[in-house]
Amino acid sequence: MGIQILLHIGIVMILSPLLLGIIGKTKAFFAGRWGPPLLQPYYDIGKLFQKGNVYSITTTWIFQAAPIVCLAVVLVSSFFIPLGGLKAPIQFWGDIILFAYLYGLARFLMMIAALDTGSSFEGMGASREAAFSCLAEVVLFLDFIILALLSKKFVLSEIIEGNILSSWPLFGPVLLLVGASYFLVLLVENARIPIDDPAIHLELTMIHEVMALDHSGWDLAYIYYGGAIKLFVLGGLFVNILIPYHSLSSVMQTVMFSGGMIMLALTIGIVESCMARLRLNRIPLLLISAFVLALVGGIVVLVKGV
Amino acid sequence: MDSQEFDVRNGQSWEWSAVPVLGEDSFRQKILEECSQWASPAGGGASPAGGGARLVNLFAQLEDSGSIRIFVMLGRDQEGKLPVFSMRISQDQASFQSLTPELPQAHMFEREMAEQFAITSIGHPWLKPVRYHQNYRNVPDLWAGIPSRPIPGAYPFYRVGGEEAHEVAVGPVHAGIIEPGHFRFQCHGEEILNLEIQLGYQHRGIEKMMEDVSAERAVLLAESIAGDTVIGHAMAYCNAIESLSDCEISPRAEAIRAIALELERLSNHVGDLGALSTDIGFLPPAAYFGRLRGEFLNLLMELSGNRYGRSLCRPGGVLFDLDQPMIENFRKRLLIARKDLKEISDLFFTKSSVLSRLEGTGIVSTKIAQELGLVGPAARACGCGLDVRTDYAFGMYRFHHIPISTVLSGDVYARSLIRWLESQRSIEFLLDLLTQIPEGDLQIKGSGLKPNHMALAMIEGWRGEIVHVAMTDSNSRIARYKIKDPSFNNWMGLSMAVRGAQISDFPVCNKSFNLSYAGHDL
């Protein structure tokens, strides 16, 4: 199991910034530019690791602890999902709840670290993050409930591996609804357009980025890296839900998974290229529609019975 | 009263002893009377019932006799005339009854006078420093507690009380490459209750420097009043000096100046549209608009050797000419740019996610726009049809007319749309003008400046009405140079636009005005 975990960590850490690179290239393509190199996210993280940290005298240990804890937490969350041919190294009854709340823990720490700075921007960012993630969490859990109902299991990797394939013929539409609502949660959780704009520098409109404003050097690198891994893990779960490949050979599983991840990055890039950001007060509406999508799926499952 | 009517036109000069001097009460009455009838016609052109005037300039000057003279210029847009009159106040009792409570447009002008000459306007509700400099009279400043240079915290900001109200301070150092300015928001949750904008960080003392420097350097100073309005301010300076020296420049020079002014307008309007699409996170048009902006700047560079048009306009004419191959090249490239601009604007203005972001954001009503005396595209986006190119036509615009574009809604969408509409009209104007550039000498030598004269030059820069007033003393030296950038009128419009809006919408509102800090701070 130790080797499995190391392999998991290795793959996640090596590959996750690549997704951001693919998204960047896709956006550049639609803007008619060459854009930054595919490996730019690696360079950015590498550059930050060469810098020192600057701490405001008004901050406490919370501010310094949050980035590294966030990185650790998202890494741990990757143990619960299979990556292509690699099985999930850790699984136990109810790990699905831990999976969701690991992100809750990361978010909580980021929010109190933001409040710790005493900056009005960071306070606004924390309040927005709290408000929107409240709504996103409900949707995420509804999705998990539906998946658990379909599989009659309560272990994340078993839900994914065991039932998705058997559910597709009968409950395909439900899985599509779950996939659609989960995709919106994915965009919210990773601060992508149309919810948040990772490229913008305007403090007053940012949600997620504004909470990283006062971090620097290694801490900022942890946050960026953690963000990339979060996208990779949540995206990996998305691919696992939607692509029923789990009965194939492990080589084919890996190929399908990798293909799925690249498709996901391209999709995010295309979504970001063809629409503007939502107004901040419209974001709850988007999350409510994600909730409704999931709810319809849930009703179908309940009415039809598994 | 009739004997005291003294109307001037744009680009005119006159002996300043000819300006009627009114008593304090009749001065005040006359301003309020003229301005009370002002209602700008929606759609432009149609004459309003009363006519009326708006405040174009209000400034003070020390007289040799020792008293302070306050000049006012009112703009009767429909007639293209500007009544000018003045009043005297003594240095010992430098105060007068404030116009601001009845006439909010006077608000910034009175603050400026209070700072420059330590004149108290009694009853001014908001008498705070503008640019933090010592007054020109060497008497104690009006503000004892406020330091003589801007410090963000040391300023009596308007505050909203209560447990749930919170304050957000932005600037003067901003993320991104913009000029310094401090924004103080009073918020309730995400809603902005009030925004106070404190500027003055860019104050260089240009008005004062203009009195001291040589003519060769003065034009360079004029070009650097606002880095993105080089042509506008240089033209205003040149027009004022030419008027003072009775120099009639050739039609060819007028045409080249107009071409440069419209290219400046195009590059800035298109650049603003690109910046707006960046701010709403819609990247493809941001990149395309950015490329087109470069296209217009390149044209300006080929004309003058500088992307922003520096060293093109000089008193007496222009320094660079357009030859026939260049004209054809310009026309060809403008035709391509017109096609590209249409395609990108169609993409931008038809996207529902863009419209939902722009429409209804940061509304300034026509009434508020008129009360605050907004100018330029910001005013035309609120349905006020005022444009110096039409109302007080100067230079080439006397022969080639540009129709005024107005939009009624007064929101961010209107301020974006007005930029597209004006860009289209500017391109049409350029294509038309390039086919028939008149002949003439590039430079015409004028005589020296006339003594004891006063000249007025108004230019419709891309941001709006630029007003320069030059006054000479008995030795024909510049004794007072008064500059008014459109940003001076319009910053208050931004404050009003975001009142009651979401704080997260502030960046798009700000970008839709895109005002100059340097032009305001001088």
Side-chain angles (χ1 to χ4, degrees):
Chain A
M1 196 167 98
I3 295 172
Q4 269 186 321
I5 288 183
L6 284 181
L7 202 61
H8 238 72
I9 289 185
I11 287 180
V12 167
M13 290 195 77
I14 290 169
L15 289 181
S16 52
L18 191 63
L19 279 190
L20 292 178
I22 297 174
I23 294 175
K25 272 287 177 200
T26 315
K27 286 169 79 173
F29 172 79
F30 278 95
R33 299 182 294 120
W34 284 111
L38 195 59
L39 300 182
Q40 188 62 45
Y42 294 94
Y43 304 150
D44 287 346
I45 292 169
K47 177 191 73 186
L48 287 171
F49 272 122
Q50 289 166 22
K51 297 191 174 195
N53 290 332
V54 179
Y55 295 114
S56 152
I57 49 164
T58 64
T59 57
T60 61
W61 61 272
I62 293 173
F63 181 75
Q64 302 182 21
I68 186 71
V69 174
C70 287
L71 180 67
V73 159
V74 289
L75 268 178
V76 169
S77 74
S78 72
F79 301 155
F80 299 105
I81 63 160
L83 302 171
L86 288 177
K87 300 278 164 261
I90 297 180
Q91 41 183 297
F92 52 85
W93 196 85
D95 62 2
I96 198 162
I97 291 177
L98 179 64
F99 181 83
Y101 278 107
L102 281 175
Y103 291 107
L105 175 63
R107 195 159 38 232
F108 172 70
L109 270 168
M110 274 310 284
M111 287 190 306
I112 57 169
L115 294 175
D116 195 23
T117 62
S119 145
S120 50
F121 302 137
E122 303 227 4
M124 277 197 301
S127 93
R128 288 170 188 168
E129 178 93 353
F132 299 141
S133 56
C134 266
L135 293 167
E137 201 172 273
V138 176
V139 184
L140 186 67
F141 268 98
L142 194 54
D143 287 343
F144 282 168
I145 288 169
I146 294 167
L147 292 175
L149 277 176
L150 282 176
S151 61
K152 302 204 171 62
K153 298 249 168 52
F154 211 50
V155 180
L156 191 53
S157 56
E158 285 180 14
I159 287 174
I160 291 168
E161 288 166 7
N163 85 298
I164 297 286
L165 194 62
S166 55
S167 301
W168 263 105
L170 207 55
F171 288 102
V174 174
L175 285 173
L176 284 178
L177 286 170
V178 168
S181 65
Y182 181 76
F183 184 69
L184 293 175
V185 173
L186 181 76
L187 293 178
V188 176
E189 285 283 342
N190 290 291
R192 312 299 311 187
I193 290 173
I195 291 90
D196 197 358
D197 185 356
I200 208 143
H201 61 257
L202 304 160
E203 309 93 338
L204 294 175
T205 71
M206 298 194 285
I207 303 171
H208 185 77
E209 293 291 307
V210 76
M211 294 197 296
L213 271 187
D214 284 53
H215 291 280
S216 56
W218 283 51
D219 285 348
L220 192 57
Y222 292 148
I223 289 173
Y224 278 166
Y225 214 166
I229 293 171
K230 189 175 182 185
L231 179 64
F232 190 86
V233 175
L234 288 174
L237 184 58
F238 181 65
V239 170
N240 272 314
I241 293 172
L242 277 199
I243 306 180
Y245 59 69
H246 300 96
S247 62
L248 303 174
S249 72
S250 66
V251 177
M252 274 310 287
Q253 283 190 18
T254 308
V255 171
M256 294 287 277
F257 179 74
S258 315
M261 291 299 271
I262 293 172
M263 284 300 293
L264 175 73
L266 291 175
T267 311
I268 293 177
I270 292 169
V271 167
E272 296 204 350
S273 297
C274 59
M275 66 189 302
R277 231 188 111 180
L278 284 175
R279 221 172 192 166
L280 211 59
N281 50 9
R282 297 270 172 88
I283 294 174
L285 296 183
L286 184 85
L287 286 166
I288 289 167
S289 37
F291 179 76
V292 170
L293 288 177
L295 194 65
V296 171
I299 290 171
V300 171
V301 173
L302 287 179
V303 170
K304 196 153 165 51
V306 181
Chain B
M1 283 291 274
D2 269 346
S3 62
Q4 289 182 324
E5 286 289 334
F6 184 75
D7 295 343
V8 300
R9 288 185 176 273
N10 184 12
Q12 203 180 330
S13 64
W14 61 94
E15 277 193 57
W16 51 291
S17 54
V19 176
V21 182
L22 276 61
E24 193 186 322
D25 286 338
S26 50
F27 179 81
R28 183 185 156 79
Q29 278 313 315
K30 193 165 156 74
I31 294 177
L32 293 179
E33 206 173 284
E34 291 255 5
C35 292
S36 66
Q37 296 161 2
W38 187 61
S40 180
S47 187
R54 74 199 158 81
L55 199 58
V56 168
N57 221 338
L58 177 67
F59 62 97
Q61 162 66 346
L62 284 180
E63 281 191 314
D64 293 339
S65 61
S67 53
I68 302 171
R69 186 129 166 222
I70 295 177
F71 290 94
V72 65
M73 292 177 175
L74 301 176
R76 287 206 190 118
D77 296 336
Q78 300 311 311
E79 302 166 39
K81 282 185 196 157
L82 297 108
V84 180
F85 46 95
S86 63
M87 70 167 175
R88 279 202 179 92
I89 55 175
S90 77
Q91 290 228 34
D92 310 327
Q93 272 197 320
S95 63
F96 67 100
Q97 193 65 37
S98 169
L99 292 161
T100 306
E102 283 92 356
L103 188 70
Q105 334 175 19
H107 142 254
M108 281 307 281
F109 293 105
E110 289 185 346
R111 278 172 68 182
E112 187 185 41
M113 282 198 292
E115 183 162 71
Q116 290 182 337
F117 291 93
I119 302 171
T120 315
S121 35
I122 300 158
H124 192 295
W126 201 259
L127 201 60
K128 301 179 182 186
V130 184
R131 304 177 179 118
Y132 303 86
H133 58 74
Q134 287 181 335
N135 62 67
Y136 300 164
R137 290 201 293 140
N138 291 324
V139 294
D141 282 315
L142 294 185
W143 301 280
I146 298 179
S148 59
R149 63 194 172 86
I151 300 169
Y155 181 84
F157 285 107
Y158 178 78
R159 294 194 70 151
V160 174
E163 280 266 296
E164 294 189 351
H166 66 106
E167 210 178 37
V168 180
V170 185
V173 180
H174 297 275
I177 314 159
I178 61 167
E179 296 176 80
H182 183 83
F183 299 87
R184 189 65 67 100
F185 296 90
Q186 309 292 325
C187 296
H188 180 248
E190 295 274 337
E191 187 195 349
I192 302 174
L193 299 175
N194 185 54
L195 161 65
E196 188 166 354
I197 302 167
Q198 180 219 357
L199 302 173
Y201 297 89
Q202 302 263 81
H203 179 61
R204 294 148 291 166
I206 290 187
E207 284 188 6
K208 262 294 176 212
M209 272 194 271
M210 280 294 201
E211 297 165 17
D212 302 329
V213 299
S214 62
E216 293 79 30
R217 281 182 63 201
V219 65
L220 295 177
L221 269 181
E223 282 181 341
S224 40
I225 290 169
D228 49 15
T229 321
V230 173
I231 301 285
H233 278 290
M235 254 177 100
Y237 171 78
C238 292
N239 283 2
I241 295 299
E242 283 151 10
S243 170
L244 281 176
S245 56
D246 278 334
C247 168
E248 182 83 31
I249 71 167
S250 75
R252 191 172 186 87
E254 297 272 28
I256 288 174
R257 282 184 184 176
I259 289 170
L261 188 66
E262 293 308 316
L263 282 175
E264 181 173 86
R265 189 183 321 279
L266 277 166
S267 64
N268 280 300
H269 278 0
V270 171
D272 281 353
L273 287 173
L276 269 167
S277 27
T278 310
D279 278 9
I280 58 172
F282 190 29
L283 294 182
Y288 304 147
F289 279 127
R291 183 189 67 76
L292 263 183
R293 168 173 180 266
E295 200 59 34
F296 294 121
L297 288 177
N298 288 347
L299 287 175
L300 203 50
M301 183 169 81
E302 281 168 42
L303 174 61
S304 71
N306 179 289
R307 274 158 66 85
Y308 297 96
R310 280 173 198 263
S311 70
L312 177 70
C313 302
R314 286 293 175 273
V318 292
L319 292 185
F320 300 95
D321 198 9
L322 277 170
D323 57 15
Q324 202 51 44
M326 263 174 91
I327 290 174
E328 273 151 31
N329 180 24
F330 270 40
R331 269 186 61 84
K332 206 169 74 196
R333 282 161 61 187
L334 281 171
L335 284 169
I336 297 172
R338 179 171 70 172
K339 188 172 135 283
D340 289 351
L341 182 62
K342 181 168 179 351
E343 278 172 17
I344 306 162
S345 303
D346 281 347
L347 168 71
F348 184 75
F349 286 105
T350 55
K351 199 86 193 167
S352 58
S353 61
V354 172
L355 295 182
S356 83
R357 196 81 172 74
L358 303 184
E359 279 178 344
T361 307
I363 298 176
V364 181
S365 67
T366 311
K367 186 166 169 290
I368 287 182
Q370 287 175 355
E371 278 179 5
L372 294 177
L374 300 192
V375 295
R380 293 194 282 277
C382 305
C384 304
L386 48 100
D387 186 329
V388 180
R389 292 173 294 175
T390 315
D391 300 337
Y392 308 96
F394 52 95
M396 217 50 210
Y397 302 99
R398 286 171 297 180
F399 314 113
H400 290 252
H401 296 291
I402 287 195
I404 298 188
S405 320
T406 48
V407 186
L408 290 173
S409 52
D411 50 7
V412 175
Y413 172 75
R415 287 186 288 275
S416 323
L417 189 64
I418 203 92
R419 289 182 156 86
W420 181 32
L421 297 176
E422 290 191 4
S423 302
Q424 289 171 307
R425 305 235 153 119
S426 291
I427 294 183
E428 294 306 326
F429 172 84
L430 285 174
L431 288 171
D432 183 37
L433 186 56
L434 282 168
T435 52
Q436 39 182 325
I437 297 190
E439 292 303 318
D441 296 329
L442 286 189
Q443 281 274 344
I444 286 171
K445 194 100 187 86
S447 56
L449 303 186
K450 292 180 284 189
N452 291 325
H453 269 64
M454 187 170 181
L456 164 73
M458 293 166 77
I459 299 284
E460 183 73 17
W462 67 273
R463 264 196 200 96
E465 175 188 273
I466 298 168
V467 183
H468 285 207
V469 177
M471 293 168 73
T472 53
D473 60 12
S474 52
N475 299 323
S476 295
R477 289 189 55 87
I478 301 280
R480 175 97 169 95
Y481 200 89
K482 178 79 195 72
I483 301 159
K484 200 211 69 184
D485 188 85
S487 308
F488 192 71
N489 304 74
N490 286 359
W491 273 112
M492 199 63 199
L494 173 61
S495 282
M496 291 307 292
V498 299
R499 187 170 288 183
Q502 299 276 306
I503 191 166
S504 60
D505 284 337
F506 171 72
V508 273
C509 290
N510 186 23
K511 204 68 74 164
S512 71
F513 279 90
N514 192 12
L515 299 173
S516 171
Y517 301 67
H520 171 278
D521 292 348
L522 294 177

